[in-house]
mmCIF file of all heavy atoms in Angstrom:
data_model
loop_
_atom_site.group_PDB
_atom_site.id
_atom_site.type_symbol
_atom_site.label_atom_id
_atom_site.label_comp_id
_atom_site.label_asym_id
_atom_site.label_seq_id
_atom_site.Cartn_x
_atom_site.Cartn_y
_atom_site.Cartn_z
ATOM 1 N N ASP A 92 17.063 -6.425 -1.848
ATOM 2 C CA ASP A 92 16.289 -5.729 -0.888
ATOM 3 C C ASP A 92 15.875 -6.690 0.298
ATOM 4 O O ASP A 92 15.753 -6.184 1.455
ATOM 5 C CB ASP A 92 15.049 -5.186 -1.584
ATOM 6 C CG ASP A 92 15.374 -4.025 -2.570
ATOM 7 O OD1 ASP A 92 16.479 -3.415 -2.448
ATOM 8 O OD2 ASP A 92 14.475 -3.796 -3.521
ATOM 9 N N TRP A 95 18.863 -7.119 2.576
ATOM 10 C CA TRP A 95 19.067 -5.928 3.384
ATOM 11 C C TRP A 95 18.031 -5.938 4.457
ATOM 12 O O TRP A 95 18.270 -5.531 5.536
ATOM 13 C CB TRP A 95 19.025 -4.648 2.558
ATOM 14 C CG TRP A 95 19.021 -3.453 3.354
ATOM 15 C CD1 TRP A 95 20.021 -2.795 3.867
ATOM 16 C CD2 TRP A 95 17.856 -2.744 3.721
ATOM 17 N NE1 TRP A 95 19.600 -1.700 4.646
ATOM 18 C CE2 TRP A 95 18.228 -1.649 4.478
ATOM 19 C CE3 TRP A 95 16.412 -2.873 3.426
ATOM 20 C CZ2 TRP A 95 17.374 -0.780 5.015
ATOM 21 C CZ3 TRP A 95 15.576 -1.998 3.945
ATOM 22 C CH2 TRP A 95 16.048 -0.898 4.754
ATOM 23 N N LYS A 108 12.634 0.103 6.331
ATOM 24 C CA LYS A 108 11.878 1.148 5.437
ATOM 25 C C LYS A 108 11.937 0.579 3.968
ATOM 26 O O LYS A 108 12.861 -0.151 3.661
ATOM 27 C CB LYS A 108 12.611 2.431 5.532
ATOM 28 C CG LYS A 108 12.494 3.170 6.954
ATOM 29 C CD LYS A 108 13.083 4.431 6.973
ATOM 30 C CE LYS A 108 12.943 4.956 8.398
ATOM 31 N NZ LYS A 108 13.716 6.112 8.647
ATOM 32 N N MET A 109 11.056 1.117 3.213
ATOM 33 C CA MET A 109 10.986 0.680 1.770
ATOM 34 C C MET A 109 12.214 1.319 1.090
ATOM 35 O O MET A 109 12.577 2.404 1.279
ATOM 36 C CB MET A 109 9.730 1.317 1.129
ATOM 37 C CG MET A 109 8.436 0.630 1.710
ATOM 38 S SD MET A 109 8.367 -1.136 1.605
ATOM 39 C CE MET A 109 8.419 -1.447 -0.115
ATOM 40 N N PRO A 110 12.792 0.426 0.128
ATOM 41 C CA PRO A 110 13.955 1.013 -0.535
ATOM 42 C C PRO A 110 13.572 2.208 -1.394
ATOM 43 O O PRO A 110 12.348 2.330 -1.834
ATOM 44 C CB PRO A 110 14.225 -0.177 -1.486
ATOM 45 C CG PRO A 110 13.708 -1.402 -0.805
ATOM 46 C CD PRO A 110 12.502 -0.917 -0.087
ATOM 47 N N ALA A 111 14.416 3.091 -1.757
ATOM 48 C CA ALA A 111 14.231 4.311 -2.517
ATOM 49 C C ALA A 111 14.166 3.796 -4.006
ATOM 50 O O ALA A 111 15.201 3.965 -4.635
ATOM 51 C CB ALA A 111 15.188 5.329 -2.187
ATOM 52 N N SER A 112 13.047 3.400 -4.439
ATOM 53 C CA SER A 112 13.006 2.986 -5.814
ATOM 54 C C SER A 112 11.637 3.336 -6.437
ATOM 55 O O SER A 112 10.689 3.400 -5.649
ATOM 56 C CB SER A 112 13.186 1.419 -5.860
ATOM 57 O OG SER A 112 12.690 0.956 -7.027
ATOM 58 N N LEU A 113 11.553 3.715 -7.732
ATOM 59 C CA LEU A 113 10.229 3.988 -8.267
ATOM 60 C C LEU A 113 9.263 2.760 -8.296
ATOM 61 O O LEU A 113 8.066 3.070 -8.174
ATOM 62 C CB LEU A 113 10.385 4.545 -9.697
ATOM 63 C CG LEU A 113 10.929 5.941 -9.930
ATOM 64 C CD1 LEU A 113 11.174 6.268 -11.361
ATOM 65 C CD2 LEU A 113 10.006 6.930 -9.254
ATOM 66 N N VAL A 114 9.783 1.631 -8.207
ATOM 67 C CA VAL A 114 8.920 0.455 -8.149
ATOM 68 C C VAL A 114 8.059 0.536 -7.013
ATOM 69 O O VAL A 114 6.811 0.234 -7.071
ATOM 70 C CB VAL A 114 9.757 -0.867 -8.125
ATOM 71 C CG1 VAL A 114 8.889 -2.084 -7.970
ATOM 72 C CG2 VAL A 114 10.578 -1.011 -9.346
ATOM 73 N N TYR A 115 8.566 0.903 -5.835
ATOM 74 C CA TYR A 115 7.862 0.974 -4.582
ATOM 75 C C TYR A 115 6.827 2.011 -4.497
ATOM 76 O O TYR A 115 6.025 2.053 -3.659
ATOM 77 C CB TYR A 115 8.764 0.715 -3.425
ATOM 78 C CG TYR A 115 9.621 -0.449 -3.479
ATOM 79 C CD1 TYR A 115 10.970 -0.478 -3.635
ATOM 80 C CD2 TYR A 115 9.012 -1.701 -3.174
ATOM 81 C CE1 TYR A 115 11.669 -1.663 -3.681
ATOM 82 C CE2 TYR A 115 9.716 -2.871 -3.221
ATOM 83 C CZ TYR A 115 11.051 -2.812 -3.415
ATOM 84 O OH TYR A 115 11.696 -3.961 -3.436
ATOM 85 N N LYS A 116 7.087 3.027 -5.421
ATOM 86 C CA LYS A 116 6.102 4.102 -5.475
ATOM 87 C C LYS A 116 4.807 3.668 -5.922
ATOM 88 O O LYS A 116 3.754 4.123 -5.519
ATOM 89 C CB LYS A 116 6.685 5.254 -6.340
ATOM 90 C CG LYS A 116 5.712 6.509 -6.560
ATOM 91 C CD LYS A 116 6.321 7.441 -7.542
ATOM 92 C CE LYS A 116 5.286 8.477 -7.818
ATOM 93 N NZ LYS A 116 5.643 9.194 -8.949
ATOM 94 N N ARG A 144 17.994 -1.830 -12.474
ATOM 95 C CA ARG A 144 17.706 -2.381 -11.115
ATOM 96 C C ARG A 144 16.224 -2.505 -10.914
ATOM 97 O O ARG A 144 15.691 -3.402 -10.511
ATOM 98 C CB ARG A 144 18.365 -1.555 -10.037
ATOM 99 C CG ARG A 144 18.154 -2.108 -8.747
ATOM 100 C CD ARG A 144 18.675 -1.195 -7.626
ATOM 101 N NE ARG A 144 18.580 -1.805 -6.300
ATOM 102 C CZ ARG A 144 17.471 -2.009 -5.577
ATOM 103 N NH1 ARG A 144 16.250 -1.607 -6.091
ATOM 104 N NH2 ARG A 144 17.515 -2.466 -4.400
ATOM 105 N N ASN A 145 15.510 -1.370 -11.234
ATOM 106 C CA ASN A 145 14.112 -1.242 -11.045
ATOM 107 C C ASN A 145 13.344 -2.252 -11.926
ATOM 108 O O ASN A 145 12.408 -2.865 -11.481
ATOM 109 C CB ASN A 145 13.532 0.067 -11.299
ATOM 110 C CG ASN A 145 14.191 1.144 -10.353
ATOM 111 O OD1 ASN A 145 14.717 0.891 -9.338
ATOM 112 N ND2 ASN A 145 13.935 2.410 -10.653
#
Side-chain angles (χ1 to χ4, degrees):
D92 296 335
W95 170 82
K108 294 181 180 172
M109 295 305 294
S112 165
L113 284 176
V114 174
Y115 298 110
K116 176 184 174 194
R144 179 191 189 285
N145 294 350

